[in-house]
Amino acid sequence: MKRNYPRLTQPLIRRDGELTPASWDEAISAATAGLSRYSGHSFGFLSCSKATNETNYIAQKWARMVMSSNNIDSCNRT
């Protein structure tokens, strides 16, 4: 059974437990603040072995350079 959900037309930020509309600058700032709490051993990144090499490269580069974590797995061993 297919459900029709309305598409998001702008970013949402959780304020006081409720999702409220926000500007892109507010949303990026909120995401940056949330991600800055995690780094190194407290962060892990999973990617997909069916993704392109380029996608997996960007994923590992982001995990290592931005999040300071070597905890990345793309299941490319199979």
Side-chain angles (χ1 to χ4, degrees):
M1 178 172 158
K2 185 177 178 183
R3 294 188 175 134
N4 292 322
Y5 294 106
R7 292 187 75 171
L8 293 177
T9 57
Q10 66 186 99
L12 301 175
I13 293 178
R14 191 173 304 278
R15 294 184 182 123
D16 299 322
E18 301 252 342
L19 289 174
T20 59
S23 70
W24 280 105
D25 287 337
E26 288 175 304
I28 290 170
S29 293
T32 302
L35 287 172
S36 67
R37 292 189 295 243
Y38 303 99
S39 67
H41 295 295
S42 66
F43 179 84
F45 196 99
L46 296 175
S47 187
C48 178
S49 63
K50 294 186 189 285
T52 64
N53 287 339
E54 293 80 4
T55 299
N56 282 322
Y57 174 80
I58 292 295
Q60 68 87 23
K61 197 67 156 172
W62 188 80
R64 294 176 202 275
M65 301 300 292
V66 176
M67 300 306 294
S68 301
S69 176
N70 288 325
N71 301 327
I72 180 164
D73 189 8
S74 62
C75 296
N76 283 331
R77 297 177 300 280
T78 57

